[in-house]
Amino acid sequence: MTDNNINRQLVDKLLCDNVKALTPYQSARRLFSSNNQADWLNANESPYTNSYQLDDAQLNRYPDCQPTSLLEAYANYADVTAEQVLVSRGADEGIELLIRAFCQPGKDKILICPPTYGMYQISANTFNVAVEQAPLTQEFALDLPAILAFKEQVKLVFICSPNNPTGTLAEKQKLLQLLEAYANSALVVVDEAYIEFAWSQNWSQELAQYPNLVILRTLSKAFALAGIRCGFTLANPLVIQALLKVIAPYPIPEPVAQIATQALSQKGLALCKQQVGQLQAQQHTLLRELNGVPQLQVIGGQQANFILIRCQQKQALMAFLCQQGILVRDQSKQMYLQDCLRLSIGDRQQNQKLASAIKHFYQQQEKK
Ligand SMILES: Cc1ncc(COP(=O)(O)O)c(C=O)c1O
């Protein structure tokens, strides 16, 4: 037997049963990691790169678990108190911490509303926590009766608003009913990763009234900082204290804290707002272009920095775009989203290149 086989047997023997069944998350980077020249329109990142100052005077020291100036800066931005904020390695870590702190493996369940962001399910599976589903309606609205049917059965309800990948918002009345119905039995986690693109719809002002409301935020999208991995959980201070029991001792590297604090300064916030405006204008232009292509249909809403399309010859179109160095995200495996691609909004040049490539593809097909 080769060494490799011996190692494999040992790993198979030791590995947890629930982990054996898992496949790693197919992130945009995992799918196309070697293609550095490409136009990355597949992970809803910002196309902008902004500059920051780094002070290296403290790099010999472990960082604060929860850097005070960063907590205060985010609390100020979100109009909550610093006790209502937890900072983590991206919103993804926030999802994981909630599941670890509140769900007992092999016993408790979470509820998701597909089609939606994939990490709720993956994080739960990783910790052997079961996942129930209350799918959105065909129009991508919350199905309230379906959600309420799981009352007393789940510990966490994940609602993504604006929702990835449909770009739609959860209706306020339904969310309020849901918070009330679950007041004594579950936390309702509203994932606001894209909220800067629909700011008037944010839920942070409801935190004071609903102790079971939890909000997830990130610097990865509108703030153009996916590379530093920084996200926030906003919640009742008791929920935040529970999460602090399971977070790693030093989750936020010092350079991350410095950059994030600068991004949340007045200057940083003004830049973010300006770039959100630019992206929304770009989205408008791209939408106009796409609406002129009869072989595809724009579906869902446009409350975030992407557009969802249902298209003819999806596979061939995706392959053609890839050949042109344009990477977009295939969403066909999600419920209701057969033949759908998600296009992240890039800068003007990238969007023009994308629109031209799509038109060119269908013109070529017509000639065949
Ligand atoms: C809805 C949603 N929530 C959370 C995340 C993860 O954010 P972060 O980069 O902060 O981990 C994403 C990333 O794509 C997302 O789409």
Side-chain angles (χ1 to χ4, degrees), residues 90-92 117 120 160 164 191 193-194 218 220-221 229:
D92 278 348
Y117 183 50
Y120 315 133
C160 190
N164 174 10
D191 184 342
Y194 299 94
T218 180
S220 297
K221 310 297 177 184
R229 310 300 300 121

Side-chain angles (χ1 to χ4, degrees), residues 25 43-44 89-93 95 117 119-120 160 162-164 191-194 216-221 226 229-232 306 342:
Y25 181 64
N44 305 334
R89 286 173 298 211
D92 278 348
E93 191 185 24
I95 296 167
Y117 183 50
M119 283 306 290
Y120 315 133
C160 190
N163 187 34
N164 174 10
D191 184 342
E192 293 190 339
Y194 299 94
L216 295 170
R217 297 276 186 84
T218 180
L219 299 188
S220 297
K221 310 297 177 184
R229 310 300 300 121
C230 186
F232 299 87
F306 51 81
R342 192 194 62 200

Side-chain angles (χ1 to χ4, degrees), residues 119-338:
M119 283 306 290
Y120 315 133
Q121 166 116 34
I122 290 175
S123 268
N125 290 345
T126 308
F127 295 109
N128 198 19
V129 166
V131 180
E132 296 285 5
Q133 301 197 348
L136 299 178
T137 64
Q138 300 270 0
E139 294 75 39
F140 304 139
L142 292 179
D143 184 343
L144 198 58
I147 297 175
L148 297 185
F150 289 100
K151 213 171 127 182
E152 308 291 343
Q153 295 177 43
V154 295
K155 288 263 195 94
L156 302 171
V157 180
F158 283 93
I159 305 288
C160 190
S161 182
N163 187 34
N164 174 10
T166 61
T168 47
L169 288 161
E171 306 92 311
K172 185 157 190 178
Q173 275 317 313
K174 285 189 185 170
L175 212 35
L176 288 175
Q177 275 176 269
L178 207 163
L179 281 163
E180 271 162 26
Y182 277 94
N184 297 315
S185 65
L187 296 179
V188 176
V189 184
V190 182
D191 184 342
E192 293 190 339
Y194 299 94
I195 199 63
E196 283 78 13
F197 299 96
W199 187 246
S200 64
Q201 306 294 314
N202 87 77
W203 278 77
S204 62
Q205 291 318 297
E206 309 296 334
L207 282 171
Q209 201 172 338
Y210 296 97
N212 63 330
L213 171 63
V214 177
I215 297 171
L216 295 170
R217 297 276 186 84
T218 180
L219 299 188
S220 297
K221 310 297 177 184
F223 283 90
L225 283 172
I228 69 166
R229 310 300 300 121
C230 186
F232 299 87
T233 304
L234 312 180
N236 182 288
L238 292 174
V239 172
I240 299 294
Q241 282 159 31
L243 300 179
L244 285 171
K245 293 184 184 198
V246 294
I247 201 167
Y250 313 108
I252 309 298
E254 172 65 22
V256 171
Q258 289 186 28
I259 292 169
T261 308
Q262 288 167 50
L264 293 162
S265 66
Q266 272 197 355
K267 193 170 143 216
L269 293 176
L271 181 64
C272 173
K273 202 168 169 186
Q274 181 201 329
Q275 292 180 343
V276 165
Q278 282 167 221
L279 286 171
Q280 285 171 329
Q282 284 301 316
Q283 186 174 33
H284 210 71
T285 310
L286 183 58
L287 260 182
R288 245 197 346 252
E289 298 267 10
L290 296 174
N291 280 329
V293 181
Q295 294 89 343
L296 64 82
Q297 184 194 359
V298 171
I299 62 170
Q302 284 81 49
Q303 306 291 333
N305 62 338
F306 51 81
I307 295 174
L308 187 63
I309 58 168
R310 173 166 287 128
C311 46
Q312 293 174 18
Q313 296 167 284
K314 181 222 68 183
Q315 203 69 22
L317 173 61
M318 175 104 180
F320 177 77
L321 293 176
C322 202
Q323 256 173 28
Q324 308 293 308
I326 305 171
L327 308 180
V328 301
R329 185 80 162 173
D330 190 348
Q331 293 288 342
S332 319
K333 291 209 179 93
Q334 290 243 40
M335 187 174 284
Y336 308 139
L337 299 188
Q338 206 189 355

Side-chain angles (χ1 to χ4, degrees), residues 14-88:
L14 299 179
L15 200 60
C16 300
D17 287 341
N18 68 302
V19 177
K20 272 184 198 155
L22 300 181
T23 47
Y25 181 64
Q26 296 295 296
S27 70
R29 289 280 151 179
R30 269 188 174 150
L31 287 170
F32 295 106
S33 61
S34 58
N35 198 343
N36 275 330
Q37 301 306 314
D39 290 299
W40 291 83
L41 302 178
N42 58 350
N44 305 334
E45 296 153 336
S46 170
Y48 305 117
T49 54
N50 305 320
S51 294
Y52 299 92
Q53 307 292 323
L54 268 188
D55 172 4
D56 56 13
Q58 293 290 320
L59 296 184
N60 58 325
R61 302 285 172 206
Y62 285 113
D64 281 348
C65 175
Q66 295 286 289
T68 311
S69 51
L70 178 53
L71 288 187
E72 282 172 355
Y74 202 85
N76 192 33
Y77 164 61
D79 198 14
V80 296
T81 65
E83 293 71 37
Q84 291 173 297
V85 182
L86 177 112
V87 55
S88 60

